[in-house]
Amino acid sequence: MKKLMSMEKDKLIKTKIIIIFIIILGLYINPTRNKSVAIMKDTKLETNCEIINSGKRGPTLFIISGIHGNEVAGVHALENYNFNLNKGRVIFIQKGSIEAFTQRVRYPYYLQDLNRCFPGVKGGRETERLAYDIFNVIRKYRPNLVLDLHEAEEYGEYSINVANSLIMNNISSDYSLLIKVLEELNNSSLEAEFTFENSSPTGSINKEVSERLGIPVITVETDMKRPLQERINIHNEVIKILLNYYGMEK
């Protein structure tokens, strides 16, 4: 009886060792653990929040595009960017307003402008609930920076021309970061001539996240008059600059 119990115990120990070995091997082969989380699930505004985790502690970068459906370059940039992280994580929402993107309009007539609805309303109208969910993803993960990918036509919604600009609502504490992005972008081979603005509209993700959560936000406004591929390249370049700034990319 004792011999049988001893054999069973040995068998259990061996099984545990094998399980531990398989887990360690799995982590060694594929240390990146990615997942996708639905926002506004089971509604027509449902969209995905993608989380790319290197498996090593480090900074968090949050990226959002497609807040306005006719501004497509950022959406394509995120679709094609190959994240190769050595630490930290990237969280991104590729199609902020999926209804707007599907129709290629700033926002559909039956919805509100998503970028005037932050921080959102939990029990509000559809766009307000979407803004609320996005805002709370940012609140939950507390990224080091939010990168907000947009495009601009000349003057458009602003009284000034924001095409080819980076917008940071409060640059006092992150001035060096903004200058670094500007310098590297303008010195790249993309023939970009970007400037910066330091104000953003009430209800925009830039203003509300930076002021309410104290998280810096950079909004990129590419010029919609330029060819699409050039605009995609600019968005990709900004992503690359920021990943290198935080030492996150291999």
Side-chain angles (χ1 to χ4, degrees), residues 44 69 95 97-105:
K44 65 174 177 284
K95 298 173 184 175
S97 178
I98 197 162
E99 282 279 292
F101 179 76
T102 300
Q103 299 177 39
R104 297 297 195 275
V105 295

Side-chain angles (χ1 to χ4, degrees), residues 103-238:
Q103 299 177 39
R104 297 297 195 275
V105 295
R106 182 179 174 84
Y107 59 95
Y109 70 91
Y110 51 86
L111 296 175
Q112 299 164 274
D113 184 339
L114 177 57
N115 212 32
R116 295 297 179 273
C117 288
F118 292 99
V121 180
K122 185 176 183 180
R125 290 184 285 179
E126 289 175 306
T127 311
E128 292 171 331
R129 298 201 309 272
L130 175 59
Y132 177 87
D133 282 358
I134 294 171
F135 189 85
N136 278 281
V137 168
I138 298 170
R139 188 202 303 270
K140 175 181 178 180
Y141 288 102
R142 300 292 308 180
N144 295 76
L145 179 81
V146 171
L147 179 61
D148 176 33
L149 303 180
H150 280 266
E151 304 203 77
E153 298 177 273
E154 189 172 1
Y155 297 100
E157 62 177 316
Y158 297 89
S159 59
I160 58 174
N161 184 7
V162 296
N164 293 325
S165 68
L166 302 180
I167 302 172
M168 204 169 197
N169 190 55
N170 182 3
I171 65 172
S172 58
S173 59
D174 299 283
Y175 184 75
S176 61
L177 169 58
L178 182 64
I179 293 301
K180 180 175 178 60
V181 176
L182 269 174
E183 287 180 346
E184 292 200 20
L185 183 59
N186 288 339
N187 290 331
S188 71
S189 60
L190 299 176
E191 298 182 359
E193 295 181 1
F194 271 63
T195 58
F196 72 86
E197 302 293 336
N198 64 354
S199 63
S200 50
T202 299
S204 66
I205 195 169
N206 192 313
K207 183 178 180 67
E208 303 305 332
V209 168
S210 60
E211 292 187 359
R212 294 172 184 263
L213 300 181
I215 296 171
V217 183
I218 292 179
T219 297
V220 181
E221 294 277 5
T222 52
D223 186 348
M224 293 176 75
K225 295 195 300 292
R226 297 185 67 165
L228 175 59
Q229 189 57 56
E230 290 184 12
R231 287 140 49 200
I232 293 171
N233 292 343
I234 289 171
H235 286 299
N236 278 332
E237 185 68 18
V238 174

Side-chain angles (χ1 to χ4, degrees), residues 74-100:
V75 176
H76 294 309
L78 279 175
E79 184 177 45
N80 298 321
Y81 198 92
N82 181 27
F83 291 99
N84 189 19
L85 305 181
N86 57 29
K87 66 178 180 179
R89 61 190 172 183
V90 171
I91 301 169
F92 70 86
I93 298 174
Q94 184 187 8
K95 298 173 184 175
S97 178
I98 197 162
E99 282 279 292

